[in-house]
């Protein structure tokens, strides 16, 4: 059984979190180092002062002992409580000092003291001074070091997070603009205030934001140039194609005439598709929204296509959409399934979802990964690769979501999901403004799609 690898939460990957951890670690390390140095220096100084004081007292006690005078308080020969190591050192003829507990010279209660001992006729002559004040001084210093270190860490962390937060907010703004540009909003710009004046010094984030804005402007100009070129070419082709169409009507009947007429129709269809794509790219399309029953619309599209397509109707649903564009999307999906797939082709309308599937080899890998591409088709079917591109663009215009996938049992599956219309009961009855029913309550007599669908 494979052991599951531990994965840290996603928020720990953010720059703010990493900066907080880094700043905290650095502040703690610096505070610990400075605190240790200060503690060591002050403790050494305090201990040295206490040692010098106790050794001076020991010299006075030694003089009194040698003169046979009474020993002052806080001293004695082999006094009780004298640390054993210090007693042994004095017995060996040497002097030494040590911090240990000893009875207070005045009240006799034990407490920290600085001991000093020296030899005296084979015994240990010792003196001790109160070390409590020095110990309290060192303890207070340690508390001050800890408190000031925590305060410095908190202040540094807050200041660092504020500074890093400003940087990360600007980075997130650049990322949001980049996502908007990738989604097609070529007017999006970061507009970092630091890039407004070229003479002003710029940091790295401002440099990235300026480069992103420059890239977006250049890309927008290039795409607009291409869109204008496509639209201009399509418009210019319309006039000679119209004359060519009229000229084909004057040709004598025969196989060559049919071939010419077929190619002219194909060129007219391609021209109309190019014009439609140029309008979609320019985002100049305006929808004519109305409420429609989705099932009957799908059925009309199938009848208008003239191709043998099985229609399956599930739960009825009403959608608020542009019927002409919806018919265009469904018609292109059906035409693409017949052109590049294999029968049977099945259209299923279940709720606000329309699915078109065939039983052919399925969509190519490039389409499943990155969506349809213009003028790219695979397989033996004919087409110029614009049908699914137009279907995807029109689906976005009407607020739908078009997805391409492989059917579980083989074949291509295109699924269009539309926003379902929810009627609110306002007491006016079940009217359907702009719906599929005519004034007499029957079906809309106009059951044909506007414009013949062109699959990819």
């Amino acid at each position: 059984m494979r052991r599951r690898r531990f994965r840290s939460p996603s928020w720990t990957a953010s720059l703010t979190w990493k900066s907080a951890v880094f700043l905290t670690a650095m502040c703690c390390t610096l505070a610990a180092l400075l605190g240790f140095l200060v503690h060591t220096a002050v403790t050494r100084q305090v201990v040295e002062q206490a040692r010098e004081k106790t050794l001076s007292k020991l010299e006075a006690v030694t003089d009194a002992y040698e003169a046979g005078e009474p020993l002052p308080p806080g001293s004695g020969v082999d006094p009780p409580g004298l640390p054993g190591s210090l007693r042994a050192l004095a017995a060996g003829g040497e002097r030494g000092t040590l911090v240990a507990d000893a009875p207070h010279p005045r009240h006799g209660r034990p407490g920290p003291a600085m001991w000093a001992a020296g030899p005296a006729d084979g015994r240990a002559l010792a003196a001790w001074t109160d070390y409590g004040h020095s110990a309290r001084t060192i303890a207070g210093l340690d508390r001050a070091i800890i408190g000031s270190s925590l305060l410095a860490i908190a202040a540094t962390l807050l200041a660092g997070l504020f500074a890093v937060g400003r940087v990360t907010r600007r980075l997130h703004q650049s990322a949001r603009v980049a996502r908007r540009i990738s989604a097609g909003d070529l007017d999006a710009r970061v507009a970092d205030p630091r890039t407004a004046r070229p003479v002003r010094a710029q940091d790295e984030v401002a440099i990235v934001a300026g480069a992103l804005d420059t890239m977006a402007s250049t890309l927008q100009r290039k795409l607009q140039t291409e869109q204008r070129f496509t639209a201009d070419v399509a418009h210019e082709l319309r006039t000679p194609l119209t004359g060519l169409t009229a000229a084909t009507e004057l040709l004598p009947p025969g196989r060559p005439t049919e071939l010419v007429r077929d190619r002219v129709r194909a060129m007219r269809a391609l021209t109309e598709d190019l014009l439609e794509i140029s309008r979609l790219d320019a985002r100049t399309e305006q929808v004519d929204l109305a409420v429609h029953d989705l099932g009957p619309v799908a059925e009309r599209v199938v009848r208008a296509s003239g191709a043998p397509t099985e229609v399956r109707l599930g739960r009825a649903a009403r959608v608020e959409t542009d019927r002409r564009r919806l018919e265009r999307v469904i018609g292109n999906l059906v035409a693409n399934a017949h052109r590049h797939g294999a029968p049977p082709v099945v259209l299923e309308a279940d709720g606000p979802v329309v699915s078109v599937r065939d039983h052919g080899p399925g969509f190519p890998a490039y389409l499943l990964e990155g969506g349809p591409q213009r003028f790219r088709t695979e397989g033996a079917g004919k087409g110029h690769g614009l049908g699914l591109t137009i279907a995807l663009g029109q689906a976005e215009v009407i607020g739908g979501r078009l997805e391409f996938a492989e059917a579980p049992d083989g074949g291509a599956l295109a699924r269009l999901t539309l926003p379902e219309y929810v009627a609110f009961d306002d007491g006016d009855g079940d009217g359907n403004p702009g719906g599929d029913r005519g004034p007499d309550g029957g079906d809309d007599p106009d059951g044909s799609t506007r414009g013949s669908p062109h699959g990819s």
Side-chain angles (χ1 to χ4, degrees):
M1 182 178 180
R2 295 183 58 185
R3 298 178 58 185
R4 297 183 60 183
R5 296 180 60 185
F6 173 76
R7 297 184 61 182
S8 58
S10 58
W11 54 268
T12 59
S14 66
L15 182 60
T16 303
W17 162 255
K18 293 180 180 178
S19 301
V21 172
F22 175 76
L23 289 174
T24 303
M26 292 300 297
C27 289
C28 290
T29 302
L30 183 60
L33 179 60
L34 293 178
F36 173 77
L37 294 176
V38 172
H39 171 83
T40 302
V42 173
T43 301
R44 182 183 295 111
Q45 182 179 3
V46 171
V47 170
E48 287 295 332
Q49 291 176 354
R51 180 180 291 114
E52 292 176 0
K53 179 180 179 181
T54 308
L55 287 174
S56 298
K57 183 178 181 180
L58 178 61
E59 291 179 358
V61 171
T62 301
D63 293 341
Y65 175 77
E66 292 177 350
E69 298 176 356
L71 299 179
S75 62
V77 179
D78 289 334
L82 179 64
S85 59
L86 198 57
R87 187 189 303 275
L89 185 65
E94 298 181 5
R95 284 186 175 188
T97 58
L98 184 67
V99 176
D101 288 339
H104 197 276
R106 296 179 180 178
H107 50 69
R109 290 192 296 269
M114 174 66 75
W115 287 88
D121 299 330
R123 294 183 297 175
L125 179 62
W128 63 91
T129 58
D130 181 28
Y131 192 73
H133 178 71
S134 299
R136 288 191 294 271
T137 300
I138 295 176
L141 175 65
D142 291 341
R143 289 192 295 271
I145 290 175
I146 294 176
S148 59
S149 298
L150 293 177
L151 183 61
I153 291 173
T156 304
L157 184 60
L158 290 177
L161 289 179
F162 175 75
V164 173
R166 295 184 62 186
V167 174
T168 54
R169 283 194 297 270
R170 293 166 61 195
L171 289 175
H172 284 303
Q173 172 67 12
S174 299
R176 285 192 294 269
V177 170
R179 284 192 289 268
R180 289 172 56 188
I181 293 174
S182 65
D185 184 7
L186 299 181
D187 293 324
R189 298 292 185 273
V190 179
D192 193 297
R194 291 165 181 79
T195 62
R197 298 173 57 188
V199 297
R200 185 177 180 181
Q202 299 181 6
D203 57 7
E204 287 76 4
V205 180
I207 294 174
V208 172
L212 180 61
D213 288 348
T214 302
M215 180 200 69
S217 300
T218 303
L219 180 62
Q220 185 179 35
R221 287 194 298 269
K222 289 184 177 180
L223 290 179
Q224 288 176 348
T225 301
E226 293 179 0
Q227 292 170 6
R228 286 194 297 268
F229 175 76
T230 302
D232 292 343
V233 169
H235 278 292
E236 292 298 327
L237 286 176
R238 263 184 164 181
T239 301
L241 283 176
T242 301
L244 189 59
T245 301
T248 57
E249 300 298 328
L250 303 177
L251 295 177
R255 180 61 178 169
T257 300
E258 293 298 325
L259 291 176
V260 171
R261 290 175 179 174
D262 178 69
R263 292 300 87 196
V264 170
R265 284 193 295 267
M267 289 190 64
R268 286 179 62 88
L270 176 58
T271 302
E272 296 299 326
D273 286 349
L274 289 175
L275 284 172
E276 187 169 358
I277 285 182
S278 66
R279 290 193 298 267
L280 291 173
D281 289 341
R283 299 180 180 272
T284 59
E285 299 281 49
Q286 296 182 357
V287 295
D288 182 15
L289 296 179
V291 181
H292 303 280
D293 292 324
L294 185 57
V297 172
E299 287 183 315
R300 283 198 299 270
V301 173
V302 171
R303 288 197 303 267
S305 67
T309 305
E310 179 182 354
V311 178
R312 300 175 183 174
L313 299 181
R315 179 176 67 89
R318 305 174 76 191
V319 294
E320 186 175 14
T321 185
D322 187 322
R323 192 185 71 179
R324 181 183 66 83
R325 301 182 190 279
L326 175 60
E327 291 175 346
R328 176 70 157 154
V329 174
I330 298 176
N332 279 17
L333 296 179
V334 172
N336 182 81
H338 283 284
R339 179 172 296 161
H340 297 283
V345 175
V346 180
L347 182 146
E348 181 178 0
D350 187 9
V353 180
V354 177
S355 301
V356 178
R357 65 154 303 181
D358 58 62
H359 292 76
F363 290 117
Y366 78 87
L367 191 147
L368 296 176
E369 294 175 0
Q373 300 180 13
R374 304 172 186 181
F375 297 103
R376 179 174 180 179
T377 59
E378 293 187 2
K382 296 180 180 180
H384 41 70
L386 298 180
L388 293 184
T389 303
I390 293 175
L392 184 61
Q394 294 290 10
E396 293 177 355
V397 170
I398 62 177
R401 185 176 72 256
L402 182 57
E403 301 171 304
F404 303 98
E406 295 290 341
D409 54 346
L413 174 63
R415 182 182 294 108
L416 174 64
T417 304
L418 299 167
E420 187 170 4
Y421 174 75
V422 179
F424 296 95
D425 187 6
D426 56 0
D428 294 337
D430 296 333
N432 179 18
D436 289 335
R437 301 209 174 262
D440 58 351
D443 290 342
D444 189 344
D446 182 12
S448 61
T449 59
R450 300 186 182 180
S452 58
H454 301 285
S456 64

